[in-house]
Amino acid sequence: MNLILYFFLAAALFLHITFSTFVISINLDGYQPEERAALLQLRDSMTSSLDLHSNWTGPPCIANFSRWAGIVCSNWHVIHIVLEGIQLSGPLPPAFLYNISLLTKLSFRNNSVSGPLPNLTNLVHLESVLLSYNRFTGSIPSEYIELPNLERLEFQQNYLEGQIPSFDQKTLTDFNVSYNYFQGSIPPTETLRRFPESSYGHNLDLCGFPLKPCPVPPPAPSPPPPSPMRPGKDKKKKLEIWIVVLIAALAALVPLVVLLLVLCCYKRVQRKETAKEPQAGGGPAGWTEKKLTHSQSTKDPERKVELEFFERKIAVFDLDDLLRASAEVLGKGKHGTTYKANLESGDVVAVKRVKNMNGLSKNEFIQQVQLLGKLKHENLVQIISFYHSKEEKLIIYEFVPTGNLFELLHGNRGVGRVPLNWAARLSIIKDIAKGLAFLHRSLPSHKVPHANLKSSNVLIHQDGQSYRSKLTDYGFLPLLPSRKLSESLAIGRSPEFSQRKKLTHKTDVYCFGIILLEVITGRIPGEVSPRDDEIVEDLSDWVRTVVNNDWSADILDVEILPAREGHDEMLKLTEMALQCTDVTPETRPKMSEILGRIEDIEQKN
Ligand SMILES: *[C@@H]1O[C@H](CO)[C@@H](O)[C@H](O)[C@H]1NC(C)=O
Ligand SMILES: *[C@@H]1O[C@H](CO)[C@@H](O)[C@H](O)[C@H]1NC(C)=O
């Protein structure tokens, strides 16, 4: 009896297997191997929070059906690729879409895709191209204006630059290029004129309808941002053009004169080239080395390198003046060393020699620093000027005398220390919040506008009893293309950074919360706690435990403990600090709200 049963079972299984194999082999007739190969390029070259490697296996399409996450098929062809909000990062493989020729929708919204926009040649069926909220760089490829069926185009919140091409597809109904670094005039095509201001807002320098009218005469196509920072090349180019014109005019008449002229100019160019850029020395000693190499060649008066100035209050100086200045090291960080430079004119500036930004194009660097240089606020250290060459990148800041919040809070504890009272602490907190709220308002397109907010980057000028705080070292995140480099910024300690989640303005709010706790508790984040000998890795966790156990006043710095009348404010601020350092970024308050609450607390004082 059992044997018969087994036989039937085995037979059924056999039939089932042969039948299924049969079915599959018939069904895979429409299989498109080149589309699969294209998607595998994407799968294997990028990282994401979805495990595409285990999900994207087998054929992408089985007739109108797909088992691949984010893929929609029609008649064996991939027609949608929609990978949104999955932390997709890295650059797209070059030209991988070429063979997915029936694609109608491409969306990578809300990821961290970097590098240039995808090449869409051949994809004539495309209707939606949704690439907003990423880290795309470069300009919009011209082939995009030839996509005949385009309906939706989203590029907002990227790092795109250059001019907007003349899109004129009648089909286009959604268009957004806001929050990028586009510049120049918006082409006055019938299609592009249909979209509202918010489609174009928050760019580096866009003009024309529906934005402000362009200056007359309209800017030439893709004018590079005016920058006197590349003296060598520009002057050389002008010189070359001049030579060509001269040759054309004189060649026929006096070849000998031309020859002499060219020879003489060539020599001048050569001389300029040798003196153009100082050799970069390694480490802080390089400063003095450079001073030497430079002063050797000061005889040549034509070699002056002029700097672009954002701040007019200070007497204009050039690179030579700067290199001739006596300099002392103010601080060394992972991203460069900062010097105090005493200029011969009597002015004092802080100069940051930037490291680690060599992966960055000159344009990217200049655009970013120009953007930051335009920011003016009493609670931000003003960028005065900058210098860029292949070997050397300098950012010149106003010099803030006295010290920083870290030193003020933690330095010189013990005999001889002047305690920092509660009123002073409250005014410092308010200044930081004002500076940060301004940055968040002014740099809406930055993922994390400050990105390196910590107590040593809050410079404090002490004027009698009052303290004025200014934030420094802001706005560097877009200059650090790799995660490895941004790890050493203050945002590297936020929960979302270690969990590889999306960074936002709220990541700055987290850093602000940590500073707030540092000011209230007088403790250094990541230091051994004197009370329980445990390492306070995360100040906010420690405070949370203490506050939960109802020992609230225990957390306060001994220096402010006696100020009983302030306890209420202190605990309110502690509560706010804990909201700011919440693990979930969305539940943290916005900077504008935080500033309002601090002002309320202060007024009730
Ligand atoms: C891939 O993921 C999707 C959605 O998460 C799921 O429905 C599908 O079964 C997965 N496919 C494979 C082959 O694991
Ligand atoms: C364009 O995108 C920005 C940023 O996401 C948004 O604020 C704006 O409303 C959008 N405009 C249009 C017309 O979609």
Side-chain angles (χ1 to χ4, degrees), residues 295-548:
S295 48
Q296 279 161 5
S297 52
T298 29
K299 279 151 255 159
D300 187 348
E302 275 191 89
R303 195 190 29 72
K304 269 206 185 310
V305 174
E306 282 167 13
L307 302 173
E308 179 181 4
F309 283 83
F310 302 115
E311 177 56 72
R312 297 268 159 226
K313 266 182 278 174
I314 200 156
V316 168
F317 51 88
D318 63 21
L319 188 63
D320 260 2
D321 298 331
L322 194 60
L323 297 175
R324 241 185 281 120
S326 70
E328 64 188 85
V329 177
L330 284 175
K332 272 196 226 177
K334 290 222 172 61
H335 301 288
T337 305
T338 307
Y339 302 84
K340 172 183 174 185
N342 295 294
L343 296 166
E344 277 170 356
S345 65
D347 281 320
V348 183
V349 292
V351 181
K352 188 177 170 108
R353 268 182 99 179
V354 185
K355 288 196 302 201
N356 290 340
M357 290 181 186
N358 289 338
L360 207 70
S361 80
K362 182 169 182 167
N363 254 347
E364 282 174 295
F365 179 87
I366 291 176
Q367 278 188 10
Q368 184 59 22
V369 180
Q370 280 179 333
L371 190 71
L372 298 177
K374 283 183 197 137
L375 304 177
K376 291 192 170 40
H377 190 269
E378 55 172 353
N379 300 117
L380 289 187
V381 176
Q382 171 73 46
I383 296 180
I384 296 174
S385 181
F386 65 96
Y387 171 76
H388 180 289
S389 73
K390 218 165 117 218
E391 298 84 9
E392 189 77 272
K393 291 159 197 68
L394 305 175
I395 300 182
I396 302 152
Y397 292 94
E398 74 172 298
F399 176 72
V400 179
T402 319
N404 65 48
L405 179 60
F406 184 90
E407 292 162 3
L408 209 58
L409 280 174
H410 314 295
N412 192 26
R413 286 255 170 179
V415 201
R417 177 179 158 87
V418 183
L420 189 60
N421 67 26
W422 177 241
R425 291 183 195 220
L426 191 57
S427 92
I428 290 170
I429 288 171
K430 190 176 141 193
D431 277 356
I432 301 172
K434 271 160 67 182
L436 195 57
F438 172 79
L439 269 182
H440 280 199
R441 255 197 334 273
S442 312
L443 300 173
S445 66
H446 274 215
K447 292 260 136 97
V448 195
H450 192 300
N452 201 13
L453 185 63
K454 54 184 177 188
S455 54
S456 54
N457 281 336
V458 177
L459 302 190
I460 300 203
H461 176 66
Q462 199 174 343
D463 184 11
Q465 279 290 43
S466 72
Y467 294 84
R468 289 272 134 250
S469 319
K470 284 170 184 268
L471 309 182
T472 190
D473 225 27
Y474 49 85
F476 278 165
L477 190 57
L479 295 178
L480 302 170
S482 82
R483 178 185 157 86
K484 185 108 195 60
L485 291 176
S486 35
E487 191 167 17
S488 54
L489 299 177
I491 52 169
R493 309 188 68 155
S494 66
E496 54 268 41
F497 194 95
S498 45
Q499 293 163 15
R500 294 180 172 259
K501 295 214 178 107
K502 198 173 170 63
L503 304 177
T504 62
H505 287 204
K506 295 291 180 70
T507 315
D508 266 346
V509 171
Y510 176 87
C511 299
F512 175 77
I514 293 291
I515 291 198
L516 202 48
L517 291 174
E518 206 176 326
V519 171
I520 294 167
T521 64
R523 291 186 177 212
I524 302 174
E527 215 199 22
V528 177
S529 132
R531 267 174 236 185
D532 36 33
D533 291 337
E534 275 171 25
I535 293 186
V536 184
E537 265 300 352
D538 187 336
L539 207 48
S540 67
D541 278 351
W542 174 72
V543 170
R544 222 164 246 128
T545 332
V546 178
V547 172
N548 281 345

Side-chain angles (χ1 to χ4, degrees), residues 27-34 36-37 58-61 76:
N27 267 0
L28 282 182
D29 266 2
Y31 168 53
Q32 305 289 328
E34 65 304 329
R36 179 172 193 274
C61 296
W76 298 97

Side-chain angles (χ1 to χ4, degrees), residues 14 61 73 117 129-130 173 186 200 272 285 328 334 379 462 494 578 598-599:
F14 174 77
C61 296
C73 298
L117 292 170
V129 177
L130 312 175
T173 54
I186 299 168
Y200 300 99
K272 221 181 262 176
E328 64 188 85
K334 290 222 172 61
N379 300 117
Q462 199 174 343
S494 66
L578 291 178
I598 294 175
E599 280 166 348

Side-chain angles (χ1 to χ4, degrees), residues 245-261:
V245 171
L246 214 70
I247 289 174
L250 296 183
L253 301 171
V254 225
L256 205 73
V257 175
V258 176
L259 206 74
L260 276 172
L261 256 171

Side-chain angles (χ1 to χ4, degrees), residues 133 156 176 178-179 196 198-199:
Y133 294 89
Q156 67 266 36
N176 203 330
S178 63
Y179 296 91
S198 73
S199 290

Side-chain angles (χ1 to χ4, degrees), residues 50-52 54-59 65-70:
L50 272 186
D51 186 5
L52 289 182
S54 60
N55 188 277
W56 283 14
T57 55
F65 171 74
S66 176
R67 288 179 63 209
W68 289 23

